[in-house]
Amino acid sequence: MASSLRHLAKASVLVASGALMLSACGSSSSTTSSTAKSTPLQTLTIGSSNVFPPTLNPTANASQAIDEVIDYNVLQHLVQLAPNGSIVPVLASSYTVSDANKVYTFTIRKGVKFSNGNPLTPADVVFSMKRVYAPGSTYPYGKIFDVSSVRQVGADQVQVTLTTPSWNWLYDLAAYSNGVILDPSTISTMATDPVGTGPFKVTGEVSNYSVTLARNNQYWGYKPHVSGVVFRYFSNADALNAALESGQVNMIDNLSAPSDATLFKSNPKYKVVSSLTNGKVQLTLNNAYGPLRNKLVRQAILYATDRKAIMDAASGGYGLIDGTDSVPADPYYIDLASEYPYNVTKAKQLMAQAGYSKGFSLQLILPPYFYAKLAAPLIVSELGAINIKVSVSTIDFPLWISQVFEGGDFQATIIDQAEGRDVSNYGTTGYYWHYAKTPQVAAELSAANAAPTKAQWIAGYRKVLKQITGDAVNDWLYIAPFITVIDKDIVGIPTTAYTESYNLSYVGIGGTIPASAKQLGYLS
Amino acid sequence: MQVGDLSAPSVAVRRQSGQPHELRRFLLRRILTLIVTLWLASMLVFVVLNILPGKPAQVILGTQATPSSVAALTAKLGLNRPLVDQYLHWIHGLITFNLGNSYISAQPIAPVIGAALAVTGPLVLAGLLVGLVIAIPLGITSALKHTRRSGIILSGLAQIGIAVPNFVLGILFIIVFAVDLKVLPASGFTTWSTSVTGALESLVLPAIALGLVEGAILARYIRASVIEVLRADYLRTARAKGLRPNQALVRHGLRNASIPVLTVFGLELSGLIIGAVVIEAVFTLPGLGSLLLSSVANRDLITVQDIVMLVASTVLVVNTVVDILYRVIDPRMGLRS
């Protein structure tokens, strides 16, 4: 709860955060140059358990692996999300919001250059933002970029008008890679050499193996305390752990098996940093399938699942027990984890009340992910206790997308709903879990977004969260953790994983980071 | 008779074929069979991949894309055209040595496959070399001594070698040589352009892990083949002429023993390529195996099609060459069959 209060408070200090970031930028050059003289900068090699980025162009593909490397590090946004959850101005030096969250006016930061030497202009910003919603656009997050016009105002401002007012749009612009600002002259080479204004630039790529970034010496802000960063990809957790132990990599950015943290926790050579993501690991229930149409059956399932035991098995106990579609970083977060305490007797009663005391059979389709495979056996035995006979099959992710997500052809699945602030899915017509009250939720969300005050917006969203939890639309299990293992002298990595980007703006091997960066949530 | 034939096989072929056009006709037939097989393989690969559920555009753009973006991307990739058109377009590309552009990165595929081959090619060759270096002495020695305890032990060792999967060996090697002894890299690949020694170092453990198992398999065949030859009449004759057993085997037996081994060798090549896919995953090498797996996961169908056709062509071509060699080594096979 303390953390949720902190996050509620944070949203009101946007300007202050921006100022912090600016002060960080201002103080940076002296810190960096003085240390750079004494010791040559080293290259940071990150062992990543992610898949290799299928392309380096985040505007052409939804893979989070692209955003992890390129977003914020190479390509920057007008505003970005800091690890502490606050929205900070980056390529905009300031911004104003008017017309009840419908019109956003950004003042473009002066003196910023792309890594190829071209200056950043308001025209570049207009070009980049119009490109998202132009006809034939193939940007991956089109659904959350509800813009009707973008135009330059005066010499250094850009004004964005939304189709409908939104309390979420600024967050979406900051958090999702649709917000990247591009140099129009470099569009054709973005797949292999995206050129941006960020602290790093791409210098090399070995397909299915590594992406190399070098420090961008033209960078306008704080310069990271490394000469470059190499992301090396490991499809095999054992090989990745061995690479860290043998010194081939300096850190593991996210343990694919969180329980592996015990291998490193007691070793003084390493630090284990665990944090939360936006990911809601959930047993998704197809509300249109037979017995699952009945709210009592769905509630029985929620009572029958021991979420603590599942989190222990699937993520080594890391994470946070969840009870709705929200994480502590959301301004509207409420803790509903205790709404359905583990209670088999109660679950059986509800099953009997629904007329299913003899149970029914349920097919559980799993995507090929570690957490799903580890959680499934417990789900099978726990639902077995209330006579639901679960049969399990695993399919590959493209098939999951096609059959489960697109086709809605499933009974139940276990998935990490990884997007931030995605409660709007419950108001999306035809969304794969087929929630019966979707139109009602859509109306409530849009009313909340049009609310004149933030408090009313938050109240509206909380009402929706309580409603979906009351209706037991899905069985929200836990919030997925993000576990980093680092050599102990590494500083400046983000202490949370609420963005798709792995922001390395403040990273360093040895040394310290500015106090302002620490306040924004970077590891000191 | 056989002894004489075997000492001059090329003469034998010429003698038996009588006219050179028979050899030409045989080669032509083999090459035609190869082309038809490749064509059938291409159809199979194309059909199987294209009926696979999971639309590339939806996979590429993810769960938050608008339907109009997905439609726009499908059209941009040319995936809204009839399948026959797509097939012909792809095949035309292959015939003109144009592998096309990746659906995902929109970049030409050929350089990507080339870079992956620079890892997998040397890995498979080195694995093969390790396999042969192990198999030939082990197979022959265990055959020569197959009735003695040492032969049985050697044969048992080969059996164990077959039973241990190469990925287990790989993991074992990483623990012993990289993590504990720190003499070789735990995983990964230094590109050839960065450092040739580095690249070679990266391939030592993977090649041994790959080659040991193949060596053990080949050793079993060599052993069986040599034992059979040792029992042959012509070898007894050669020994009766006064040759020592080893001399008789080297001069008259090995060529005969090599015929079945050659067949197995051709088949094992595909085993080595599949083994390389697994070994690449264990040692995180950026080879053809990793490229294939990631392309399947990303539904980069055209890249998958190209790689599968490349591997299929290699295996088919090697098998054709083995088939031809076979008849060159053993003229008894004839050219008509």
Side-chain angles (χ1 to χ4, degrees):
Chain A
M1 261 332 266
S3 114
S4 85
L5 289 172
R6 195 178 67 234
H7 286 291
L8 280 173
K10 105 220 142 176
S12 61
V13 291
L14 290 184
V15 181
S17 306
L20 282 172
M21 177 110 175
L22 278 173
S23 67
C25 302
S27 65
S28 63
S29 40
S30 58
T31 320
T32 314
S33 52
S34 64
T35 11
K37 271 177 203 162
S38 51
T39 45
L41 292 174
Q42 290 171 269
T43 301
L44 174 75
T45 305
I46 299 177
S48 175
S49 57
N50 219 334
V51 295
F52 181 79
T55 159
L56 297 184
N57 180 358
T59 70
N61 192 300
S63 172
Q64 186 265 331
I66 306 165
D67 298 341
E68 178 184 45
V69 179
I70 303 298
D71 205 12
Y72 294 8
N73 294 322
V74 176
L75 301 175
Q76 294 187 303
H77 304 212
L78 292 174
V79 289
Q80 291 182 181
L81 203 62
N84 69 358
S86 57
I87 296 171
V88 292
V90 176
L91 292 182
S93 49
S94 64
Y95 60 88
T96 56
V97 185
S98 58
D99 205 6
N101 289 317
K102 205 177 170 189
V103 177
Y104 296 76
T105 308
F106 299 94
T107 303
I108 308 307
R109 189 178 296 280
K110 289 194 176 67
V112 175
K113 281 183 177 173
F114 288 96
S115 62
N116 60 6
N118 291 345
L120 170 77
T121 64
D124 298 332
V125 175
V126 173
F127 168 86
S128 304
M129 297 184 85
K130 280 191 165 171
R131 194 170 175 260
V132 185
Y133 65 94
S137 157
T138 52
Y139 271 66
Y141 301 106
K143 276 184 192 163
I144 54 174
F145 201 82
D146 213 6
V147 172
S148 70
S149 75
V150 181
R151 62 190 183 103
Q152 184 172 344
V153 185
D156 60 354
Q157 288 192 322
V158 171
Q159 195 172 73
V160 180
T161 308
L162 308 189
T163 48
T164 50
S166 170
W167 283 97
N168 267 326
W169 187 77
L170 204 61
Y171 168 88
D172 291 340
L173 184 73
Y176 288 98
S177 56
N178 278 6
V180 292
I181 302 302
L182 312 168
D183 174 352
S185 69
T186 62
I187 297 299
S188 61
T189 54
M190 279 187 66
T192 50
D193 185 18
V195 172
T197 53
F200 294 95
K201 57 183 179 180
V202 176
T203 52
E205 178 190 10
V206 178
S207 187
N208 282 302
Y209 185 68
S210 66
V211 178
T212 307
L213 308 180
R215 198 166 80 146
N216 172 13
N217 289 323
Q218 308 219 36
Y219 183 50
W220 54 274
Y222 176 90
K223 291 192 180 64
H225 197 205
V226 291
S227 62
V229 175
V230 179
F231 280 86
R232 254 197 70 190
Y233 295 88
F234 291 80
S235 52
N236 174 325
D238 293 324
L240 179 48
N241 295 345
L244 182 67
E245 285 173 277
S246 66
Q248 282 188 309
V249 301
N250 306 106
M251 59 181 281
I252 297 175
D253 71 353
N254 187 19
L255 288 177
S256 52
S259 52
D260 282 358
T262 49
L263 296 175
F264 304 101
K265 230 176 166 180
S266 52
N267 189 330
K269 275 167 68 187
Y270 309 110
K271 265 195 249 177
V272 175
V273 183
S274 69
S275 60
L276 290 181
T277 65
N278 287 314
K280 283 77 57 184
V281 177
Q282 63 186 43
L283 173 67
T284 305
L285 304 170
N286 183 347
N287 287 214
Y289 163 69
L292 299 182
R293 285 167 187 271
N294 191 325
K295 185 169 100 175
L296 297 176
V297 171
R298 298 196 303 269
Q299 287 178 329
I301 290 175
L302 267 69
Y303 277 116
T305 39
D306 182 354
R307 281 167 280 164
K308 172 81 174 70
I310 291 169
M311 189 174 84
D312 286 347
S315 80
Y318 289 93
L320 182 71
I321 300 295
D322 197 11
T324 192
D325 189 86
S326 185
V327 301
D330 299 336
Y332 48 78
Y333 176 72
I334 32 170
D335 184 358
L336 297 176
S338 48
E339 289 295 296
Y340 296 95
Y342 178 50
N343 186 338
V344 182
T345 320
K346 174 92 180 156
K348 281 181 177 165
Q349 278 168 9
L350 286 166
M351 287 288 278
Q353 210 179 322
Y356 287 102
S357 52
K358 288 188 179 161
F360 55 90
S361 57
L362 184 72
Q363 289 170 2
L364 178 62
I365 297 179
L366 304 180
Y369 300 126
F370 208 69
Y371 59 85
K373 288 179 192 168
L374 290 175
L378 279 174
I379 300 268
V380 171
S381 77
E382 288 168 358
L383 297 192
I386 57 167
N387 292 328
I388 300 177
K389 290 162 279 297
V390 181
S391 58
V392 182
S393 58
T394 305
I395 57 180
D396 79 342
F397 191 61
L399 183 54
W400 187 92
I401 287 262
S402 151
Q403 183 186 329
V404 178
F405 182 78
E406 246 194 301
D409 176 17
F410 75 109
Q411 295 173 4
T413 185
I414 298 172
I415 189 73
D416 176 359
Q417 290 281 145
E419 273 96 18
R421 299 199 193 172
D422 59 359
V423 68
S424 60
N425 289 337
Y426 289 82
T428 303
T429 314
Y431 209 71
Y432 75 111
W433 48 63
H434 304 298
Y435 177 35
K437 293 184 192 162
T438 300
Q440 185 188 326
V441 167
E444 282 172 9
L445 290 174
S446 94
N449 268 320
T453 68
K454 191 169 188 176
Q456 283 168 302
W457 167 59
I458 288 173
Y461 267 57
R462 285 188 172 166
K463 193 176 157 213
V464 168
L465 292 178
K466 283 179 188 158
Q467 181 179 327
I468 59 172
T469 299
D471 283 343
V473 181
N474 291 309
D475 188 356
W476 301 274
L477 301 170
Y478 62 93
I479 297 164
F482 188 91
I483 300 167
T484 312
V485 185
I486 56 174
D487 282 348
K488 64 171 189 320
D489 55 344
I490 291 176
V491 294
I493 60 161
T495 53
T496 66
Y498 289 131
T499 55
E500 308 241 309
S501 154
Y502 194 59
N503 193 343
L504 297 167
S505 301
Y506 292 96
V507 85
I509 300 178
T512 53
I513 62 164
S516 51
K518 187 181 171 189
Q519 214 162 340
L520 288 171
Y522 296 91
L523 186 77
S524 61
Chain B
M1 184 56 197
Q2 283 151 320
V3 174
D5 280 353
L6 287 166
S7 60
S10 54
V11 176
V13 170
R14 238 182 289 126
R15 253 203 318 265
Q16 195 185 14
S17 57
Q19 290 147 354
H21 72 260
E22 280 229 23
L23 177 64
R24 270 208 303 276
R25 203 178 297 160
F26 168 73
L27 289 177
L28 199 67
R29 206 166 48 232
R30 292 303 306 158
I31 289 164
L32 268 179
T33 315
L34 176 69
I35 291 170
V36 172
T37 319
L38 280 175
W39 173 61
L40 288 173
S42 75
M43 297 244 285
L44 189 72
V45 168
F46 184 83
V47 170
V48 167
L49 286 176
N50 281 280
I51 58 172
L52 210 65
K55 278 190 261 161
Q58 183 75 56
V59 174
I60 291 167
L61 295 183
T63 55
Q64 295 288 335
T66 57
S68 64
S69 304
V70 175
L73 185 59
T74 304
K76 198 170 144 194
L77 297 175
L79 296 173
N80 55 348
R81 290 180 302 161
L83 275 185
V84 176
D85 276 11
Q86 292 182 40
Y87 173 76
L88 291 177
H89 185 253
W90 172 55
I91 281 295
H92 178 259
L94 284 190
I95 293 168
T96 53
F97 296 102
N98 174 9
L99 300 187
N101 287 0
S102 156
Y103 287 168
I104 308 293
S105 65
Q107 299 298 302
I109 295 169
V112 178
I113 291 188
L117 272 179
V119 180
T120 305
L123 172 64
V124 169
L125 285 180
L128 197 62
L129 197 70
V130 171
L132 289 177
V133 164
I134 292 164
I136 295 173
L138 183 66
I140 295 177
T141 316
S142 61
L144 288 176
K145 303 190 170 170
H146 71 278
T147 51
R148 297 194 210 148
R149 189 179 296 166
S150 57
I152 294 167
I153 291 172
L154 286 178
S155 168
L157 276 180
Q159 199 73 271
I160 293 171
I162 295 170
V164 180
N166 53 19
F167 67 88
V168 173
L169 274 182
I171 293 169
L172 209 67
F173 285 173
I174 290 176
I175 294 169
V176 175
F177 295 102
V179 177
D180 288 345
L181 300 176
K182 295 193 195 306
V183 287
L184 284 164
S187 61
F189 187 72
T190 310
T191 50
W192 295 99
S193 54
T194 312
S195 155
V196 174
T197 344
L200 288 173
E201 269 182 13
S202 331
L203 288 179
V204 171
L205 291 182
I208 296 176
L210 182 63
L212 270 180
V213 178
E214 291 306 314
I217 295 171
L218 271 182
R220 296 285 299 170
Y221 283 102
I222 292 177
R223 176 180 178 273
S225 199
V226 170
I227 288 177
E228 200 183 319
V229 167
L230 286 175
R231 288 173 182 153
D233 290 343
Y234 61 83
L235 214 69
R236 198 179 55 203
T237 312
R239 282 165 66 185
K241 280 190 336 190
L243 289 178
R244 285 198 301 276
N246 286 358
Q247 280 178 319
L249 182 69
V250 169
R251 284 174 60 177
H252 304 299
L254 285 187
R255 196 186 298 264
N256 269 341
S258 68
I259 294 165
V261 173
L262 199 60
T263 319
V264 172
F265 179 76
L267 294 174
E268 281 305 307
L269 184 76
S270 37
L272 270 172
I273 294 174
I274 294 164
V277 173
V278 177
I279 284 294
E280 280 172 14
V282 173
F283 287 93
T284 63
L285 298 173
L288 215 53
S290 333
L291 181 61
L292 182 65
L293 293 179
S294 70
S295 304
V296 172
N298 293 326
R299 286 295 186 271
D300 196 355
L301 299 186
I302 186 154
T303 306
V304 178
Q305 286 165 201
D306 285 348
I307 297 173
V308 173
M309 280 312 288
L310 181 76
V311 173
S313 319
T314 310
V315 170
L316 288 171
V317 166
V318 167
N319 280 330
T320 305
V321 170
V322 165
D323 216 18
I324 294 169
L325 275 180
Y326 217 64
R327 280 153 176 84
V328 173
I329 291 178
D330 185 1
R332 288 169 302 176
M333 302 293 290
L335 295 174
R336 287 174 207 282
S337 55

